[in-house]
Structure formats: structure tokens, C-alpha cells
Amino acid sequence: MGRVVLVTGISRHIGRRFARAAASDPSIDRVIGVDVVPPRGDIGDVSFVRADIRSPVIAKVLAKEDVDTVVHMSVIATPGSAGGRHTMKELNVMGTMQLLAACQKSPTLKSLVVKSTTTMYGASSRDPAMFTEEMGPKRVPGTGYAKDVYEVEGYVRGFARRRPDVNVTTIRAANVIGPHVVSPITSYFRLPVIPRVLGFDPRLQFLHEDDLLDVLRHAAVSDVSGTFNVAGDGMLMLSQAVRRLNKASVPMPPFAVGRLGSVLRQARVADFSPEQLGFLTYGRGVDTTRMRAELGFEPRYSTAAAFADFGVSLGVPLRDNTLAPAAKGEARV
């Protein structure tokens, strides 16, 4: 018998894609997708259960389906997609707490995989060159998505202490990018003219959407516990990224970028949250040594290759073959 995997957040594009990919894995017997609304599009062999993880009913789903692996993907980044900041907070934090309470009671549970983000490190002038997994943010986030993720990870660590018999894996993914990703960072790069913070050229790391699916599936079946930074090799400066998209940019003072961001956010064109503005000012770098040495995962796309594939979706052709995903054994970009 293979694993029985429950995936939260299946109504979102990346959750649906992951559930379908997991269902095709020969080591996984069944995949159950959970969300408050049905997913759009074909979900293949995935079974859908309409359930709200903020409700105790999620414990009944775990018990009824004999779930042994949970992949938690329903921590969302934008208030607009959730119906407002209050609802977003409920879904992210309260939903996670209720899910962990259900997992706590499940006698069949063996593995928990949580999709987190390097956003939890924040972005400031005092940051180290590279964040390792043992480090935390220089300033504890007080609002928004970063605060939610920081709290979620705290609850997950508490669960791991209470259930040492369960393999708990937290994937801190760099900004996910690719042809199908809709997020604050991809909305930013889709703007016709890119606003930049005057006097700053931040370092950027990306993770291709396909690599995100691969690392979550790898974590779900490998039984490796711990927290892991996951990002493509290398970095891009913001100025390089803008040039590769063949777009114009406008340097602006930080307060002007913030005001423009508020206008764009209200118009639902792009989301300029405080953490997004900080990232576009100072950037962020994370160390991925543990990803390779302990988790045993190697992304197929470098940061540059992931960004290039995103650029293709905007009509920007690949400039040369070095930006294609590297085959095994090839030099990384």
C-alpha cells in the first residue's frame, strides 16, 4: 500500500497542480484535495472533499480517509484573493492551527509537509548576505503575509515537539516564478513600466513553479524532517531582471513607490505590501546547502533560468540555451 496524502488549498492553481503530480507518483496510493470551493479544471485521479480547514470537520476527513501524509499549501500571500486581510489572517493562521489540532489527534499520521516562504526572513539593511535556516528575521514582522508565515512556522514547530513520531518538513521557498504563477512579484514584473526604489538594486532569488511541485512531492515521500531553504542557484539583480524583460524602469523615492503601490493595490493591478516594498529595496539571499545535503533535492532551474521561463510567457525569447533548465550533470547557470 502506498501513501494516502491530503493536500490543502487545492482550489488554487499551484495546489491543484501539486495534487495531480502527487497522484501520478507510484509511491502514493491516493490523494485527497481539500478546500472550501471546488478546483477549476481537471484534477485527474485526485479525490476532492469540500471542507474548511478552519473547522473541526478536517479531523473527520483525516480519520475517514486514513491519511498518513498532509501537505499544507493553503497559506496565501495576498488579501485580495482571500476577501480581505481579516479573512486572510483567519485562513492562514487560524486554519493552520485547526489543521494542526486535527493532525495532533490523528493516529495514522506519519508525515506533515508545510509550504512556507523565505519572506519570513524579512528584508532590511541589517540582513546577512545569506540567511541560513537557523536564522530568523532581524525584526519580527508586525503585519501582513510575513507575520502570518512567522506565526504559522511557530505553530508547526510546536506541533513537531508534541508529535515527535511525525516527520515534519517545512519548505521555505524563495519567490516562486513561472509562466502560470500569479503572485505579488509576478504582478510587479508584468507592469508595463517597472517602478524601482531610487538608489537600490536588490539581489533576487527565484524558485521555478515546477521545482516547487517537485520539492513538495520529494518531501512528502522522503520522510526527512527539518526546515529547508529552497531556491534556484545564483541570483539576479533587479536591474538585470528588468533588462532581461526589455522593459523600462523608473527610479522613485521609497515614499513614492509606497504611494504608487497603494494605488495599484486598490486597483488590484499589483500588490505592494510593506514586505514587498522591503524586498524590492534590500533584496534577500538564502543559503541552500541544507536543501542538497540533508533534503537531497536539486532544483532543475537556476534563478536565471526560472526568470527566463517567466519572461517567455511575457513574449521575451530565451537569449541562449544557457537559460534553459540544466540537465543532470550540466553546469548550473
Short mmCIF file of all heavy atoms in Angstrom, two decimals, residues 39 64 78 115 212 248 259:
data_model
loop_
_atom_site.label_atom_id
_atom_site.label_comp_id
_atom_site.label_asym_id
_atom_site.label_seq_id
_atom_site.Cartn_x
_atom_site.Cartn_y
_atom_site.Cartn_z
N PRO A 39 -11.94 22.92 -7.09
CA PRO A 39 -10.92 23.44 -8.00
C PRO A 39 -11.43 23.56 -9.43
O PRO A 39 -12.32 22.81 -9.84
CB PRO A 39 -9.80 22.39 -7.91
CG PRO A 39 -10.52 21.13 -7.53
CD PRO A 39 -11.66 21.55 -6.65
N LYS A 64 -11.45 9.53 8.39
CA LYS A 64 -12.23 8.74 7.43
C LYS A 64 -11.35 8.21 6.30
O LYS A 64 -11.53 7.07 5.84
CB LYS A 64 -13.35 9.58 6.85
CG LYS A 64 -14.22 8.84 5.84
CD LYS A 64 -15.32 9.75 5.29
CE LYS A 64 -16.13 9.01 4.23
NZ LYS A 64 -17.20 9.87 3.65
N THR A 78 -1.86 37.10 -0.59
CA THR A 78 -2.50 38.38 -0.94
C THR A 78 -3.89 38.49 -0.33
O THR A 78 -4.71 37.58 -0.48
CB THR A 78 -2.60 38.53 -2.46
OG1 THR A 78 -3.26 37.38 -3.02
CG2 THR A 78 -1.23 38.65 -3.10
N LYS A 115 4.28 24.16 3.21
CA LYS A 115 4.87 25.11 2.26
C LYS A 115 4.95 26.47 2.94
O LYS A 115 3.96 27.11 3.23
CB LYS A 115 4.02 25.23 1.00
CG LYS A 115 4.55 26.26 0.02
CD LYS A 115 3.55 26.54 -1.08
CE LYS A 115 3.98 27.75 -1.91
NZ LYS A 115 3.97 29.01 -1.14
N LEU A 212 9.05 23.87 -7.34
CA LEU A 212 8.26 23.87 -6.11
C LEU A 212 7.43 22.59 -6.01
O LEU A 212 7.39 21.95 -4.95
CB LEU A 212 7.33 25.09 -6.07
CG LEU A 212 6.34 25.11 -4.90
CD1 LEU A 212 7.07 25.20 -3.56
CD2 LEU A 212 5.34 26.25 -5.04
N ALA A 248 11.13 49.20 -19.49
CA ALA A 248 11.65 50.43 -18.90
C ALA A 248 11.40 50.40 -17.40
O ALA A 248 10.46 49.76 -16.92
CB ALA A 248 10.97 51.64 -19.53
N ARG A 259 3.41 54.96 -2.23
CA ARG A 259 2.12 55.56 -2.62
C ARG A 259 1.61 54.96 -3.92
O ARG A 259 0.41 54.68 -4.06
CB ARG A 259 2.29 57.07 -2.77
CG ARG A 259 2.49 57.81 -1.45
CD ARG A 259 2.73 59.29 -1.66
NE ARG A 259 2.96 59.98 -0.40
CZ ARG A 259 3.29 61.26 -0.31
NH1 ARG A 259 3.44 61.99 -1.42
NH2 ARG A 259 3.48 61.82 0.88
#
